């Protein structure tokens, strides 16, 4: 990894495979991609590893949530190709905004796109949950109907139940006075 200075913000030359930052690590910087491709992973190098997305558009930002919130890193960033990046610290961020309005605009667009993607994922998850609940209700309803149908067939076979009396009522009444049938 080579480092050059760009005012207060170092320019990093990262070879393919470099872990730029790790999930859960403390954070006080963000990065702007100049060239290359970076992937963000949850649970990197574990059986639960999940790739969130890839970033390859020059000027795209990553790691900004930690910079703004001072929270630990929420994902692991890995260089999928050789990359050139600018590292921006909390201290140098205000000056960077003033000196680089187009890159600041791109950061805002990146955040907006990620918010849209997250919102769409929530909508998709909500739809799946709704469909699953409906399927469970329908299965439960069909299960009850099939049980009622089976009780009716058994009771019709074994007993002479009048058509206007529900089989459950007859079986309940019969079991009270004559013991259970099953």
């Amino acid at each position: 990894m080579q480092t050059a200075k760009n005012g207060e913000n170092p320019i990093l030359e990262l070879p393919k495979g470099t872990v730029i930052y790790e999930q859960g690590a403390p954070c006080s910087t963000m990065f702007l991609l100049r060239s290359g491709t970076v992937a963000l992973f949850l649970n990197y190098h574990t059986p639960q590893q999940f790739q969130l997305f890839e970033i390859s558009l020059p000027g795209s930002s990553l790691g900004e949530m930690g910079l703004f919130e001072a929270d630990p890193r929420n994902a692991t960033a890995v260089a999928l190709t050789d990359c050139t990046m600018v590292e921006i610290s909390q201290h140098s961020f205000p000056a960077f905004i003033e000196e680089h309005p187009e890159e600041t605009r791109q950061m805002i667009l990146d955040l907006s796109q990620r918010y849209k993607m997250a919102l769409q994922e929530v909508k998709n998850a909500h739809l799946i949950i709704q469909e699953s609940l409906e399927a469970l209700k329908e299965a439960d309803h069909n299960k009850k109907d099939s049980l009622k149908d089976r009780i009716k067939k058994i009771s019709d076979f074994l007993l002479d139940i009048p058509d206007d009396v529900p089989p459950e009522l007859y079986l309940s009444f019969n079991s009270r006075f004559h013991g259970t049938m099953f």
Side-chain angles (χ1 to χ4, degrees):
M1 171 172 63
Q2 295 179 337
T3 304
K5 280 289 190 177
N6 175 23
E8 290 187 46
N9 304 305
I11 297 174
L12 308 173
E13 299 290 336
L14 306 172
K16 176 181 177 177
T18 301
V19 174
I20 301 161
Y21 56 79
E22 293 185 16
Q23 181 177 342
C27 172
S28 62
T29 62
M30 66 172 287
F31 301 88
L32 287 181
L33 184 66
R34 292 282 189 237
S35 66
T37 301
V38 173
L40 295 179
F41 294 93
L42 292 177
N43 306 313
Y44 186 64
H45 278 316
T46 71
Q48 295 81 28
Q49 177 176 304
F50 178 77
Q51 183 175 332
L52 295 168
F53 54 90
E54 291 181 10
I55 301 169
S56 58
L57 181 67
S60 294
S61 61
L62 59 143
E64 64 280 329
M65 286 174 44
L67 178 77
F68 299 144
E69 299 291 326
D71 288 340
R73 300 283 188 191
N74 61 4
T76 298
V78 179
L80 296 183
T81 65
D82 292 347
C83 294
T84 303
M85 307 182 82
V86 176
E87 186 173 18
I88 304 167
S89 68
Q90 288 175 333
H91 172 74
S92 66
F93 186 69
F96 183 87
I97 290 172
E98 287 182 29
E99 295 168 13
H100 304 278
E102 279 306 307
E103 288 175 315
T104 302
R105 182 180 177 279
Q106 184 62 46
M107 275 188 250
I108 294 168
L109 289 174
D110 286 348
L111 291 171
S112 175
Q113 286 298 318
R114 289 184 200 147
Y115 177 74
K116 281 183 186 178
M117 287 174 21
L119 189 57
Q120 188 60 48
E121 287 296 319
V122 169
K123 287 178 182 179
N124 291 344
H126 185 260
L127 182 61
I128 289 168
I129 290 169
Q130 279 184 309
E131 290 171 353
S132 297
L133 288 173
E134 288 300 318
L136 285 172
K137 284 180 187 175
E138 186 175 323
D140 190 45
H141 179 70
N142 289 340
K143 182 177 153 184
K144 286 180 185 174
D145 286 346
S146 65
L147 180 60
K148 286 179 185 177
D149 291 341
R150 284 185 277 166
I151 291 172
K152 179 146 177 54
K153 283 181 186 177
I154 292 169
S155 62
D156 286 348
F157 180 73
L158 298 175
L159 309 166
D160 186 20
I161 301 174
D163 289 336
D164 60 339
V165 176
E168 302 88 3
L169 179 65
Y170 185 84
L171 291 174
S172 173
F173 178 78
N174 188 41
S175 66
R176 278 193 212 140
F177 293 102
H178 304 289
T180 63
M181 293 181 58
F182 306 106

